[in-house]
Amino acid sequence: MELKKLQQQWNSFPEISMEERPVLSSDLEKIVVKNPLSDAFYLRKKIVLRVALISILWLLNGWQLRLQWMTNGRDLPQLIALFGLLSYSAYFHIRLLFFADYPTLLSLPLVTFLGKLETILDKYILSFKIMSWTAGFYILAAIEYLIYRINTDTYDSLSRNDWYKWLILIFLSVSIDILLLNTLIPRYRKLLITVRKYKEGIHAKAQNK
Amino acid sequence: MNNSTKRSGFDTDLRSLLKHQHRRVYSICRFFTNNYKEHQRLFTDIIAAASQNIRTRRENSDKNILLLRACINMTALHSISQELAPDTDRTLQFKSPDFQKSISGFRETMGELSDYDKFLLFFNFENVATEEIAELTGITPQSRSAQRKKEAITSKKSFNFIPYIKEKLIWS
């Protein structure tokens, strides 16, 4: 590759073309308010939605926990575990949101930017595990409610056997986790691998220079 | 009233800066886009990113550095998106015949280059100072040696409990 020849060709580009036309103020006004990140990279909306949902569930769970505490109910250990999980989940998502700091993300130097993007995607993939455990608790509650409506004796037997409930909970959570691993997670994982490969490629090239 | 005046003044400044510097954005698009649609989309995304960077900037940061960072970061995302869609047509198809001719010749002479080399070439054409390149890419000679040192340490110790916990607690 000849730098001189390249420079000559660079200078020979037409001053004005359909591709490189002067920017109008009216166009700029529309562009400057646009979000530059595509849906694949911009997870803010999804995280905010999750934080809102978790907060509602956390409040409901807190209220239920208070009732069970006062009446010394049977579901107390389960509700305490769910309360802990929801609290951690809220902390994890809020932390991810603050860490990502989308408005300043694109102003970072390239390698730092790619590294941060990699961490965001990695933690977002990890958050699906928390979500599957949370979903496990709620699906178990739905199953319990269904059994209660169908057959009260079966419900009584199930609520007295804590071990069964915990085993069902583990089974449900692991199943949802596997389901997510095969449906939603692959596209984020693929994106994470591509970002990582790209960052490593930049590093390798820079090291050779 | 003061705030709105300040805000509109700031927006005017931003718009005039972008208007003044838009050729730089077109320049980086020449390296990475293959057709008119891609070219226009990347240009719009970079301008939007630059405006976001400048709006949220700290007092001491340089507007030109932020613009160039928007250029290379958005281009990196463009390249990553292209890698995710391997079936996309990569032939050069631009609307303007003059531009098509110039870009075909330029790409032919340039050959197959890595994105990092393209960035360096872009910095060279845009007369970016060598000290600024490290500020834009985040790769300094020190960080390179630190990276090698880190790799040597990780290869020596296969499992170390404390760094494992540290890695889980501190996101970087």
Side-chain angles (χ1 to χ4, degrees), chain B residues 106-154:
Chain B
F106 177 71
R107 290 282 185 87
E108 204 178 301
T109 316
M110 190 173 75
E112 286 292 315
L113 282 185
S114 73
D115 280 8
Y116 184 71
D117 289 329
K118 285 181 189 171
F119 288 140
L120 293 183
L121 208 53
F122 165 71
F123 295 144
N124 181 42
F125 289 151
E126 289 301 320
N127 302 318
V128 177
T130 324
E131 317 78 74
E132 280 183 0
I133 294 177
E135 221 177 309
L136 294 168
T137 58
I139 302 168
T140 53
Q142 289 92 339
S143 81
R144 267 180 250 162
S145 61
Q147 172 86 4
R148 275 190 218 125
K149 219 174 171 182
K150 200 180 162 189
E151 277 168 13
I153 291 168
T154 31

Coordinates of all heavy atoms in Angstrom, one line a residue, chain B residues 106-154:
Chain B
F106 N -9.9 4.1 -4.4 CA -9.3 4.2 -3.1 C -9.3 2.9 -2.3 O -8.3 2.5 -1.8 CB -10.1 5.3 -2.3 CG -9.7 5.5 -0.9 CD1 -8.4 6.1 -0.6 CD2 -10.4 5.0 0.2 CE1 -8.0 6.2 0.7 CE2 -10.0 5.2 1.5 CZ -8.8 5.8 1.7
R107 N -10.4 2.2 -2.4 CA -10.5 0.9 -1.7 C -9.6 -0.1 -2.3 O -9.0 -1.0 -1.6 CB -11.9 0.4 -1.7 CG -12.9 1.1 -0.9 CD -12.8 0.8 0.6 NE -13.8 1.5 1.4 CZ -15.0 1.0 1.6 NH1 -15.3 -0.2 1.1 NH2 -15.9 1.6 2.3
E108 N -9.4 -0.1 -3.6 CA -8.5 -1.0 -4.3 C -7.1 -0.8 -3.9 O -6.4 -1.7 -3.6 CB -8.7 -0.8 -5.8 CG -8.3 -2.1 -6.6 CD -8.5 -1.8 -8.1 OE1 -9.6 -1.5 -8.5 OE2 -7.5 -1.9 -8.8
T109 N -6.7 0.4 -3.8 CA -5.3 0.8 -3.4 C -5.1 0.4 -1.9 O -4.1 -0.1 -1.5 CB -5.0 2.3 -3.6 OG1 -5.5 2.6 -4.9 CG2 -3.5 2.6 -3.5
M110 N -6.1 0.7 -1.1 CA -6.0 0.4 0.3 C -5.9 -1.1 0.6 O -5.2 -1.5 1.5 CB -7.3 1.0 1.0 CG -7.2 1.0 2.5 SD -8.5 1.9 3.3 CE -9.9 0.8 3.1
G111 N -6.6 -1.9 -0.1 CA -6.6 -3.3 0.1 C -7.4 -3.7 1.3 O -8.1 -2.9 1.9
E112 N -7.1 -4.9 1.8 CA -7.7 -5.4 3.0 C -7.0 -5.0 4.2 O -5.9 -5.5 4.5 CB -7.8 -7.0 3.0 CG -8.8 -7.5 2.0 CD -10.3 -7.3 2.4 OE1 -10.6 -7.4 3.6 OE2 -11.1 -6.9 1.5
L113 N -7.5 -4.1 4.9 CA -6.9 -3.6 6.2 C -7.7 -3.9 7.4 O -9.0 -4.0 7.3 CB -6.7 -2.0 6.1 CG -5.6 -1.5 5.2 CD1 -5.5 0.0 5.4 CD2 -4.2 -2.0 5.6
S114 N -7.1 -4.0 8.5 CA -7.8 -4.2 9.8 C -8.5 -2.8 10.1 O -8.0 -1.8 9.7 CB -6.9 -4.7 10.9 OG -6.1 -3.6 11.3
D115 N -9.5 -2.9 11.0 CA -10.2 -1.7 11.4 C -9.2 -0.7 12.1 O -9.3 0.5 11.9 CB -11.3 -2.0 12.3 CG -12.6 -2.4 11.5 OD1 -12.4 -2.6 10.3 OD2 -13.6 -2.6 12.1
Y116 N -8.3 -1.3 12.9 CA -7.3 -0.4 13.6 C -6.4 0.4 12.6 O -6.2 1.6 12.8 CB -6.5 -1.2 14.6 CG -5.5 -0.4 15.4 CD1 -6.0 0.4 16.4 CD2 -4.1 -0.5 15.2 CE1 -5.1 1.1 17.2 CE2 -3.3 0.3 16.0 CZ -3.8 1.1 17.0 OH -2.9 1.8 17.7
D117 N -6.0 -0.3 11.6 CA -5.2 0.3 10.5 C -6.0 1.4 9.8 O -5.5 2.5 9.5 CB -4.7 -0.7 9.5 CG -3.6 -1.6 10.1 OD1 -2.9 -1.1 11.0 OD2 -3.5 -2.8 9.8
K118 N -7.3 1.1 9.6 CA -8.1 2.1 8.9 C -8.3 3.3 9.8 O -8.3 4.5 9.3 CB -9.5 1.5 8.7 CG -9.5 0.5 7.5 CD -11.0 0.0 7.3 CE -11.0 -1.1 6.3 NZ -12.3 -1.7 6.2
F119 N -8.4 3.1 11.1 CA -8.5 4.3 12.0 C -7.2 5.1 12.0 O -7.3 6.3 11.9 CB -8.7 3.8 13.5 CG -10.1 3.2 13.8 CD1 -10.2 2.1 14.6 CD2 -11.2 3.8 13.3 CE1 -11.5 1.6 14.9 CE2 -12.5 3.3 13.5 CZ -12.6 2.2 14.3
L120 N -6.1 4.4 11.9 CA -4.8 5.1 11.9 C -4.7 5.9 10.6 O -4.2 7.1 10.6 CB -3.6 4.2 12.0 CG -3.5 3.5 13.4 CD1 -2.2 2.6 13.4 CD2 -3.4 4.5 14.5
L121 N -5.1 5.3 9.5 CA -5.1 6.0 8.2 C -6.0 7.2 8.3 O -5.7 8.3 7.8 CB -5.6 5.0 7.2 CG -5.0 5.2 5.7 CD1 -3.5 5.3 5.7 CD2 -5.5 4.0 4.9
F122 N -7.2 7.1 8.9 CA -8.2 8.2 9.0 C -7.5 9.3 9.8 O -7.6 10.5 9.4 CB -9.4 7.6 9.6 CG -10.4 8.7 10.2 CD1 -11.1 9.5 9.3 CD2 -10.5 8.9 11.5 CE1 -11.9 10.5 9.8 CE2 -11.4 9.8 12.1 CZ -12.1 10.7 11.2
F123 N -6.9 8.9 10.9 CA -6.2 10.0 11.7 C -5.1 10.7 10.9 O -5.0 11.9 11.1 CB -5.6 9.4 13.0 CG -6.6 8.8 14.0 CD1 -6.3 7.6 14.7 CD2 -7.8 9.4 14.2 CE1 -7.2 7.1 15.6 CE2 -8.8 8.8 15.0 CZ -8.5 7.7 15.7
N124 N -4.4 9.9 10.1 CA -3.4 10.5 9.3 C -4.0 11.5 8.3 O -3.5 12.6 8.2 CB -2.6 9.4 8.6 CG -1.5 9.8 7.7 OD1 -0.8 10.7 8.1 ND2 -1.4 9.3 6.5
F125 N -5.0 11.1 7.6 CA -5.7 12.0 6.6 C -6.3 13.3 7.3 O -6.4 14.3 6.7 CB -6.7 11.3 5.8 CG -6.2 10.3 4.9 CD1 -6.9 9.2 4.5 CD2 -4.9 10.5 4.3 CE1 -6.4 8.2 3.6 CE2 -4.4 9.5 3.4 CZ -5.1 8.4 3.1
E126 N -6.7 13.1 8.5 CA -7.4 14.2 9.2 C -6.4 15.0 10.1 O -6.8 15.8 10.9 CB -8.5 13.7 10.1 CG -9.7 13.1 9.4 CD -10.4 14.2 8.5 OE1 -10.5 15.3 8.9 OE2 -10.7 13.8 7.4
N127 N -5.1 14.7 9.9 CA -4.0 15.4 10.6 C -4.2 15.4 12.1 O -4.0 16.4 12.8 CB -3.9 16.8 10.1 CG -3.6 16.9 8.6 OD1 -2.8 16.1 8.1 ND2 -4.3 17.8 8.0
V128 N -4.5 14.3 12.7 CA -4.7 14.1 14.1 C -3.3 13.9 14.7 O -2.5 13.1 14.2 CB -5.6 13.0 14.5 CG1 -5.7 12.8 16.0 CG2 -7.0 13.2 13.9
A129 N -2.9 14.7 15.8 CA -1.6 14.6 16.4 C -1.4 13.2 17.0 O -2.4 12.6 17.5 CB -1.5 15.7 17.4
T130 N -0.2 12.7 17.1 CA 0.1 11.4 17.6 C -0.4 11.2 19.0 O -0.9 10.2 19.4 CB 1.6 11.1 17.5 OG1 2.1 11.6 16.3 CG2 1.9 9.6 17.5
E131 N -0.2 12.3 19.8 CA -0.6 12.2 21.3 C -2.1 12.1 21.4 O -2.6 11.4 22.3 CB -0.2 13.5 22.0 CG 1.2 14.1 21.8 CD 1.3 14.9 20.6 OE1 0.7 16.1 20.5 OE2 2.0 14.5 19.6
E132 N -2.8 12.7 20.4 CA -4.3 12.6 20.5 C -4.8 11.2 20.2 O -5.8 10.8 20.6 CB -4.9 13.6 19.5 CG -4.9 15.0 20.1 CD -5.6 16.0 19.2 OE1 -6.0 15.6 18.1 OE2 -5.6 17.2 19.6
I133 N -4.0 10.4 19.4 CA -4.4 9.1 19.0 C -4.6 8.2 20.2 O -5.6 7.5 20.3 CB -3.4 8.5 17.9 CG1 -3.5 9.3 16.6 CG2 -3.8 7.0 17.7 CD1 -2.5 8.8 15.6
A134 N -3.7 8.3 21.1 CA -3.8 7.5 22.4 C -5.0 7.9 23.1 O -5.7 7.0 23.7 CB -2.5 7.7 23.2
E135 N -5.3 9.2 23.1 CA -6.5 9.7 23.8 C -7.8 9.2 23.2 O -8.8 9.0 23.8 CB -6.5 11.2 23.8 CG -6.9 11.9 25.1 CD -6.7 13.4 25.0 OE1 -5.6 13.8 24.5 OE2 -7.7 14.1 25.3
L136 N -7.7 8.9 21.9 CA -8.9 8.5 21.1 C -9.1 7.0 21.2 O -10.3 6.5 21.4 CB -8.8 8.9 19.7 CG -8.9 10.4 19.4 CD1 -8.5 10.7 18.0 CD2 -10.2 11.0 19.7
T137 N -8.0 6.3 21.1 CA -8.2 4.8 21.1 C -8.1 4.2 22.5 O -8.6 3.1 22.7 CB -7.1 4.1 20.2 OG1 -5.8 4.5 20.7 CG2 -7.2 4.5 18.8
G138 N -7.5 4.9 23.4 CA -7.3 4.4 24.8 C -6.1 3.4 24.8 O -5.9 2.7 25.8
I139 N -5.4 3.3 23.7 CA -4.2 2.4 23.7 C -2.9 3.3 23.8 O -2.6 4.0 22.9 CB -4.1 1.5 22.5 CG1 -5.4 0.7 22.4 CG2 -2.9 0.6 22.5 CD1 -5.6 0.0 21.0
T140 N -2.2 3.1 24.9 CA -1.0 3.8 25.1 C 0.1 2.8 25.2 O -0.1 1.7 25.6 CB -1.0 4.7 26.4 OG1 -1.4 3.8 27.5 CG2 -2.0 5.8 26.3
P141 N 1.4 3.2 25.0 CA 2.5 2.2 25.2 C 2.5 1.6 26.6 O 2.7 0.4 26.7 CB 3.8 3.0 25.0 CG 3.3 4.2 24.2 CD 1.9 4.4 24.5
Q142 N 2.1 2.4 27.6 CA 2.1 1.9 29.0 C 1.0 0.8 29.1 O 1.2 -0.2 29.7 CB 1.8 3.0 30.0 CG 2.9 3.9 30.2 CD 2.8 5.1 29.3 OE1 2.2 5.1 28.2 NE2 3.5 6.2 29.6
S143 N -0.2 1.1 28.5 CA -1.3 0.2 28.7 C -1.0 -1.1 28.0 O -1.5 -2.2 28.4 CB -2.6 0.8 28.2 OG -2.7 0.8 26.8
R144 N -0.3 -1.0 26.9 CA 0.1 -2.2 26.1 C 1.0 -3.1 27.0 O 0.8 -4.3 27.1 CB 0.8 -1.9 24.8 CG -0.1 -1.8 23.7 CD 0.6 -1.5 22.4 NE 0.3 -0.1 22.0 CZ 1.0 0.6 21.2 NH1 2.1 0.1 20.7 NH2 0.6 1.8 20.8
S145 N 2.0 -2.5 27.7 CA 2.9 -3.3 28.5 C 2.1 -3.8 29.7 O 2.4 -5.0 30.2 CB 4.1 -2.5 28.9 OG 3.8 -1.4 29.6
A146 N 1.2 -3.0 30.2 CA 0.4 -3.5 31.4 C -0.4 -4.6 31.0 O -0.6 -5.6 31.8 CB -0.5 -2.3 31.9
Q147 N -1.0 -4.6 29.8 CA -1.8 -5.7 29.3 C -1.0 -7.0 29.2 O -1.4 -8.1 29.6 CB -2.3 -5.3 27.9 CG -3.0 -6.4 27.1 CD -4.5 -6.5 27.5 OE1 -5.0 -5.6 28.3 NE2 -5.2 -7.4 27.0
R148 N 0.3 -6.9 28.7 CA 1.1 -8.1 28.6 C 1.4 -8.6 29.9 O 1.4 -9.8 30.2 CB 2.4 -7.7 27.8 CG 2.2 -7.7 26.3 CD 3.6 -7.6 25.6 NE 3.4 -6.8 24.4 CZ 4.0 -5.8 24.1 NH1 5.0 -5.3 24.9 NH2 3.8 -5.1 23.0
K149 N 1.7 -7.7 30.9 CA 2.0 -8.1 32.3 C 0.8 -8.9 32.9 O 1.0 -9.9 33.5 CB 2.3 -6.8 33.1 CG 3.4 -7.0 34.1 CD 3.7 -5.6 34.7 CE 4.7 -5.8 35.8 NZ 4.9 -4.5 36.5
K150 N -0.4 -8.3 32.6 CA -1.6 -8.9 33.2 C -1.8 -10.3 32.6 O -2.1 -11.3 33.3 CB -2.8 -8.0 32.8 CG -4.0 -8.3 33.6 CD -5.1 -7.3 33.2 CE -6.4 -7.8 33.7 NZ -7.5 -7.0 33.1
E151 N -1.5 -10.4 31.3 CA -1.7 -11.8 30.6 C -0.7 -12.8 31.2 O -1.0 -13.9 31.4 CB -1.4 -11.6 29.1 CG -2.7 -11.1 28.4 CD -2.4 -10.7 27.0 OE1 -1.3 -11.0 26.5 OE2 -3.2 -10.1 26.4
A152 N 0.6 -12.3 31.5 CA 1.6 -13.2 32.1 C 1.2 -13.6 33.5 O 1.3 -14.8 33.8 CB 2.9 -12.4 32.2
I153 N 0.6 -12.7 34.3 CA 0.2 -13.1 35.6 C -1.0 -14.1 35.5 O -1.0 -15.1 36.2 CB -0.3 -11.8 36.4 CG1 1.0 -11.0 36.7 CG2 -1.0 -12.2 37.7 CD1 0.7 -9.6 37.2
T154 N -2.0 -13.9 34.7 CA -3.1 -14.8 34.6 C -2.7 -16.2 34.0 O -3.2 -17.2 34.4 CB -4.2 -14.2 33.7 OG1 -3.7 -13.4 32.7 CG2 -5.2 -13.5 34.5

